Amino acid sequence: MNIGSIVSKFFSEYSANTPKRLKVVDVFLAYVMLTGILEFAYCAIVGTFPFNSFLSGFISTVGTFVLAVCLRMQVDPSNEKRYSLERAYADFIVCNIILHLWVFNFLG
């Protein structure tokens, strides 16, 4: 098997078997990951003069990514332990508020 057929099979299975709710969370995860990569690249190229700003932004992207992965695990219908959707989204929102309050506090 070559790489092209593996990727093609992956995307066809993903689009056929993954619920729309999980696809939305996956797109958000990709966006947050790309934001973190761009922020780190900017820091490597330009420098870290306001280091607290870089660290706060990077911690924000990593924390949001981790919380979104937890949300994806909770709303996945194939998960053996089912959580209510309301509880999963409420956990995500409350934890994001706490995370970003900490990030704003760290900015100084």
Side-chain angles (χ1 to χ4, degrees):
M1 289 187 111
N2 61 8
I3 298 295
S5 65
I6 293 172
V7 170
S8 173
K9 181 168 175 63
F10 171 76
F11 280 118
S12 65
E13 291 287 326
Y14 178 80
S15 63
N17 296 332
T18 305
K20 191 171 268 194
R21 181 176 292 127
L22 291 181
K23 289 179 186 177
V24 171
V25 175
D26 289 341
V27 169
F28 179 69
L29 284 168
Y31 166 73
V32 171
M33 186 172 67
L34 181 65
T35 303
I37 290 170
L38 288 175
E39 187 174 358
F40 189 78
Y42 177 82
C43 173
I45 293 170
V46 176
T48 63
F49 167 61
F51 190 67
N52 280 2
S53 297
F54 161 71
L55 207 55
S56 293
F58 196 70
I59 288 170
S60 174
T61 55
V62 171
T64 302
F65 186 85
V66 169
L67 292 174
V69 168
C70 292
L71 173 68
R72 189 189 193 288
M73 289 171 51
Q74 288 181 354
V75 299
D76 188 4
S78 66
N79 192 0
E80 292 177 9
K81 185 174 181 180
R82 270 308 271 162
Y83 296 96
S84 70
L85 293 178
E86 293 84 11
R87 177 180 173 217
Y89 286 109
D91 286 349
F92 178 72
I93 290 169
V94 169
C95 290
N96 258 310
I97 289 171
I98 292 169
L99 170 70
H100 286 92
L101 284 174
W102 182 84
V103 166
F104 290 147
N105 185 41
F106 188 72
L107 278 172

